[in-house]
Amino acid sequence: MLTLLSTLISFLMGGLPKLLDFFQDRSDKKHELELAQMQIARELEMRKLGFEAQERVENIHTQQLEIETKSNEKVSMIAAQQAEMQAIYAHDTALNEGTSQWMKNFRASVRPAITYGFFLLLVGIDCALVWHGFTKGVSFEDMADQLWDDETQALFASIIAFHFGGRAFGK
């Protein structure tokens, strides 16, 4: 249970921005639906008054405004993403100013090194315990229960879900 919960939480943390975008999109669609209902009511009134030609002109104008708005939203979203990435790169560059190439490489390797270190530690401990278990005559099922317990599963699943889940949402 702990494994599933930690995996789910780690995976969802990588997708939190997409989840927030979902709720924003839902709110936008609700607003658009309300506008469409108001337009329908207005169109019915105009038809009663015989303003169909005026209605067509206004529909064309409304469609043009919607296209321009969507285009402007996409352009502003791209500009915001570019500005965010530039700020991140500028921050990383500022942190690296005045440091040696060795320190720059060291900073870039910290997260992967910790992940690889944890994995190699897990494999090393498991190999040593398997060897010890076989020399003492412990059955494979008992060793598997001891080596791959709930805490180990939760820890390993959290790391994998965080690293690979965040990348999946980012694409």
Side-chain angles (χ1 to χ4, degrees), residues 17-124:
K18 293 289 184 184
L19 182 65
L20 295 175
D21 286 344
F22 169 76
F23 286 114
Q24 179 65 37
D25 185 50
R26 193 168 137 196
S27 173
D28 290 344
K29 287 181 180 175
K30 181 180 176 186
H31 178 70
E32 289 175 10
L33 182 63
E34 290 172 359
L35 285 177
Q37 289 173 348
M38 288 176 22
Q39 279 183 333
I40 289 171
R42 190 172 136 268
E43 287 175 12
L44 290 175
E45 287 180 27
M46 289 180 72
R47 283 189 183 177
K48 287 179 186 176
L49 299 174
F51 293 114
E52 288 187 36
Q54 177 73 22
E55 176 186 352
R56 283 188 223 135
V57 170
E58 288 184 14
N59 280 341
I60 292 171
H61 182 68
T62 302
Q63 288 174 353
Q64 288 174 343
L65 288 175
E66 287 176 3
I67 291 170
E68 288 177 17
T69 302
K70 288 179 183 178
S71 174
N72 289 340
E73 286 175 1
K74 288 181 181 179
V75 168
S76 65
M77 180 67 81
I78 290 170
Q81 289 174 345
Q82 287 175 341
E84 180 182 17
M85 290 307 296
Q86 287 174 353
I88 289 170
Y89 292 144
H91 179 261
D92 284 348
T93 302
L95 288 176
N96 281 332
E97 287 179 7
T99 62
S100 66
Q101 186 63 37
W102 179 85
M103 183 54 73
K104 292 175 188 175
N105 292 340
F106 179 72
R107 282 189 64 238
S109 68
V110 168
R111 289 177 64 193
I114 290 172
T115 304
Y116 293 143
F118 173 75
F119 181 75
L120 292 174
L121 178 67
L122 180 68
V123 169

